[in-house]
Amino acid sequence: MLKLYGFAVSNYFNMVRMALDAKGLDYETVVSMPSQEDDWLQKSPLGKVPVLETDDGCLSETLVILDYLEDAYPEKPLFPADPFAKAQTRQMLQVLKLYIELPARRLFPGVFFGGENPALTIEEVRPVLEKGVRAVKQLGAFKPYLMGEQVTAADFVAMYSLDLAAGVAAKTYQWDLLADIPGAAELLERLGNGECAQRIAAEKNAQMAAFLSKVRGG
Ligand SMILES: N[C@@H](CCC(=O)N[C@@H](CS)C(=O)NCC(=O)O)C(=O)O
């Protein structure tokens, strides 16, 4: 059976959980934290989560895992069949990862983890996020899902990256980031109402305080 390693507060872990659930796949979750220990590096060369363990071995990197799931389990597709539409979905995935999630993540220490963000980082992140937001707005269909009528992998990456980026933007720049992407708030609400998303949210909320206390050194 597929095994997914990670922890409930991890947004990347939850993106993959949503995809596994949408595909109706049986899988086991194994609670694992990022680590630079040798054992873990055997599974995850960068020491990160999530990791998907398959009969053929382990895979890390969320977008790669999403591609693998699509190729290995094509029933209940999470990418369009048409090559161009599929590439557009992948384009959106890259935009969300590179220009929304990763820049926002640079400010997690000051926004969520009780640290202080350096002024230079604050200055650097904003223009990247602005471009990312512009690109999501331009490339997104929001009809009603991010790429059109069908739910795709991009919806799951969006729901667990736009929400965090919005939190970062609000606290750092007093910027309502979602308001700059018409349809985004409604999309997050629609996705968040699903049964799997609700289960994930309940687990995340239950573990958030302990997680924050740990990263804040408490
Ligand atoms: N590029 C990775 C990023 C995953 C990631 O950053 N996961 C976080 C937890 S949400 C992590 O493992 N952080 C520890 C680290 O970066 O060393 C992916 O797409 O899966």
Side-chain angles (χ1 to χ4, degrees):
M1 194 197 294
L2 292 168
K3 271 191 197 167
L4 183 67
Y5 295 78
F7 60 102
V9 173
S10 159
N11 59 336
Y12 286 104
F13 177 67
N14 290 332
M15 292 168 194
V16 179
R17 285 183 79 187
M18 287 293 291
L20 286 161
D21 184 83
K23 284 191 169 288
L25 297 171
D26 276 341
Y27 69 101
E28 185 187 324
T29 54
V30 183
V31 177
S32 309
M33 300 304 285
S35 157
Q36 294 296 312
E37 296 294 322
D38 283 347
D39 278 5
W40 182 246
L41 294 174
Q42 295 302 314
K43 292 192 194 304
S44 176
L46 274 297
K48 295 175 189 267
V49 300
V51 164
L52 183 75
E53 188 170 317
T54 76
D55 287 344
D56 295 311
C58 286
L59 286 171
S60 55
E61 291 301 320
T62 300
L63 300 194
V64 171
I65 294 173
L66 294 173
D67 270 342
Y68 168 79
L69 290 175
E70 188 69 8
D71 291 343
Y73 305 96
E75 309 82 22
K76 302 195 185 170
L78 289 177
F79 286 85
D82 173 72
F84 189 75
K86 184 184 246 184
Q88 285 180 308
T89 304
R90 292 208 171 108
Q91 179 177 221
M92 178 63 90
L93 285 165
Q94 292 292 343
V95 166
L96 289 165
K97 172 182 162 178
L98 297 173
Y99 309 110
I100 298 288
E101 210 281 345
L102 284 173
R105 181 170 285 271
R106 293 183 66 196
L107 298 176
F108 285 4
V111 172
F112 300 122
F113 301 158
E116 201 167 320
N117 286 323
L120 181 61
T121 313
I122 292 175
E123 196 186 316
E124 286 173 353
V125 164
R126 182 159 188 156
V128 184
L129 277 180
E130 282 174 353
K131 286 183 195 158
V133 162
R134 193 180 66 202
V136 172
K137 180 176 162 185
Q138 181 179 332
L139 300 172
F142 300 96
K143 282 182 172 177
Y145 294 106
L146 186 51
M147 302 311 292
E149 289 175 14
Q150 303 300 322
V151 76
T152 67
D155 288 290
F156 305 143
V157 173
M159 71 187 285
Y160 295 118
S161 49
L162 285 176
D163 62 340
L164 290 169
V168 163
K171 179 132 185 229
T172 312
Y173 309 114
Q174 294 71 55
W175 168 26
D176 185 353
L177 179 152
L178 292 183
D180 284 357
I181 312 174
E186 292 80 359
L187 175 70
L188 295 196
E189 193 182 343
R190 173 185 293 268
L191 294 167
N193 283 336
E195 192 266 327
C196 178
Q198 294 274 315
R199 208 170 349 108
I200 286 173
E203 286 175 28
K204 185 165 78 172
N205 291 339
Q207 293 181 31
M208 185 61 85
F211 171 75
L212 288 178
S213 149
K214 199 168 163 195
V215 291
R216 288 172 183 168

